[in-house]
Amino acid sequence: MTPAVVVDCDVEPIHIPGTTQPHGVLLALHPSNFKVLQVSANTVELLGVEPTAVLGRPLEALLGAAANKVIENLGRARSSSGEPFQVQVNGNSLDARAHLHQGLAIVELEPAASDGATIDVALRRALASLQRENTMSELCKIAVDAVHALTGFDRALLYRFDEDGHGETIEEFVTPGMDSYRGLCFPASDIPRQARELYLLNWLRLIPDSSYEAVRLVPTLRPDTGAPLDLSFATLRSVSPVHLEYLRNMGAGASMSISLVRNGVLWGLIACHHRTRHRVSFAARAACEVIGRVVSLQIAAQEEIESREQRHIHRGIQARLVEVMRDTHADVATALLQRSDALLELVGATGAAICTSTGIKTVGATPSPAQLAALVGWLGKQGSNGILHLESLAERHPPSIDCAQVASGLLVMTLPGVAPSHVLWFRPEVVQTVTWAGDPAMAKAPDASGRLHPRHSFEAWKQIVRHRARPWSATEIEAVEDLRRRAIESDLIKQIARAEAAVAVRDEMVAVLSHDLKSPIQVLAMSVNILEQRVTSDPLAAQTVERIGRAVTRMDGLIRDLLDLAKIEAGRFEVTSVPVAVDSLISDAFAILLPLAEVKHMRLTSTCKGALRVNADRDRIFQVLSNLVGNAIKFTPVSGDVSLAVDHVDGWVTFTIRDSGPGIEATELRHIFDRYWQARRVQSAGTGLGLYIAKGMVEAHGGRLWAQSTLGAGATFSFTLPLADGDPPHNSGDIKRATD
């Protein structure tokens, strides 16, 4: 429901009014010595002493022996609340309440009532009724009847808030002569934001006299901080003048409200009104608070039962949709149309649309194709996290007002992807006649001075509400959230199956290629050897044979790389580790690589910290070492330096290859180990698999491979291997090798 006008008055600091209600005395005490720091100015009426005579004095000087009971209750009180109790002061019984808040002890005193026994009987009777299994309507009826019996108010009504904060009276007890508000709605502006927050902190609020004259605090500000006294948890806290005028306008001389809270949210209120002044004792208020808390629990339990029943129904419907998503070969969103009946039934929709990259398909009553296309475009700009639900699409997307008859309500499920898919459910407009307690357009209006005044009339005021659908329930939204999770799971399973099938096909192809090409390459290699021996006298022929030999070697290496790649990506790359002497590995690698360094007049050096051995597959690590040192030689300019250093720490041997080349740009360094990636400076037609395979080989040994570089200052590649089992580091001296 939407009122015609809502006036925002959420800025009034109602928790620090600087005044109290006159039916009791409030004392603010220092929490350690219990001296009075502030007091309400009406101490004479209740305690027979002037406020100025109270300030700065210990509580005992004011209350006598009763101070000990107050201090005792303060010791038991939580920081923001305290239970009511009685004390005797100068032969008079006083109801007291004490709590701690913001570094002060707050004590409130009121004249005591002798209705404890009657209250106890009424509370027991109410709790016995509430303990029976009741429907929601019966529960609300018992609640308002019990509150009336405990307090004697002329009217007790229970109203529930909707998601917009407006309240509707769903149950009422009213004495003859009082106006009935049953079925009437109250705009959210009747209870501003900060008032709602206080209703969550304080379950009960009493105003015995709507025409009272507020009592000021003495002094006005806290003497210890200079700030206003925060009365958020004080029962005597003075009320906004606007609210008092609101009560008087509805003919209420007194009022009381009891919060109904579900899961930390203000679910509703039990509001009480009386024609004249009417003070309710601490005992009766405490009993009413118990009623409010019990009813809140019962409401939560009742709604949970209803939710469980709805979830059970939704799971049955959902199972049919999950089945078609699981069995389809198409995308999971489109598959839902195979069970269009279940698709609509899941959320009680009258139409649905499936919007994918291939087009839009519909079932039931939906907007036109052009309207749907525009709606999908709008959805793409909303940044939804997967679920969007609206009961008035026209409020958020005005162009949709043209299709309000079929699509006032919208529920959207978005499935992730390169091109996201959307499942849209629609509900038609439900034209409503909302009956308000007075014209909501006049809820609050300023006068010529700018002061706010509440509406004067609470007579039934009817409003026609258009372009809104029946709201989507929490269980319906939950069902769609669950369906989305199942849809994503189904899609992922299909993607994995397709990926596995693709890997299987690739592996088969690589195996066939390697088997079928191996023999021809061997024949070519042997033929090249024979030709090399016979063409020595013909330079052109010798050059041609050399090119053929390089091509054959490259083909053989490419096939080997493809086989290694397939094994690494399939997680089937295996190594046979044995103790291998590091010095022997370096010697073999340098024997092949030194000629390449000499051609470029480079200095190639190695240093090994001791006679180390690693657990490794010799051939595989030889391939890694050759690849990394070979790359360093390749990318280092003529007369540059390439070094290999080997060290060990905590059972791991680290190989570090440094060069004095141009270095690697930071943007390229992030991709250096990606498969098929090549730096922009590389001119040769390589496969871009060398470093990717090297990394896979090192990781298969349990080690890791990484790179560091600063542009213009060379590059460093490092990898680790486990020290040979049972082979403690041997530091007989560094082993060095160098060539110029």
Side-chain angles (χ1 to χ4, degrees), residues 587-603:
S587 296
D588 291 348
F590 273 35
I592 295 175
L593 298 169
L594 279 172
L596 298 177
E598 290 171 350
V599 168
K600 298 179 70 173
H601 305 290
M602 295 174 55
R603 177 177 171 81

Side-chain angles (χ1 to χ4, degrees), residues 12 49 75 265 277-278 456 638 641 647 739:
E12 186 179 4
V49 60
V265 177
R277 299 175 183 175
H278 187 65
H456 288 79
V638 174
D641 293 298
D647 202 352
T739 182

Side-chain angles (χ1 to χ4, degrees), residues 189-190 240-250 439 442-446 451-458:
S189 57
D190 280 4
S240 165
V242 178
H243 184 64
L244 292 174
E245 186 178 352
Y246 173 93
L247 292 174
R248 293 193 295 271
N249 288 349
M250 68 162 44
D439 183 354
M442 302 300 294
K444 291 184 178 72
R451 181 178 180 275
L452 286 176
H453 293 276
R455 61 187 181 277
H456 288 79
S457 172
F458 289 82

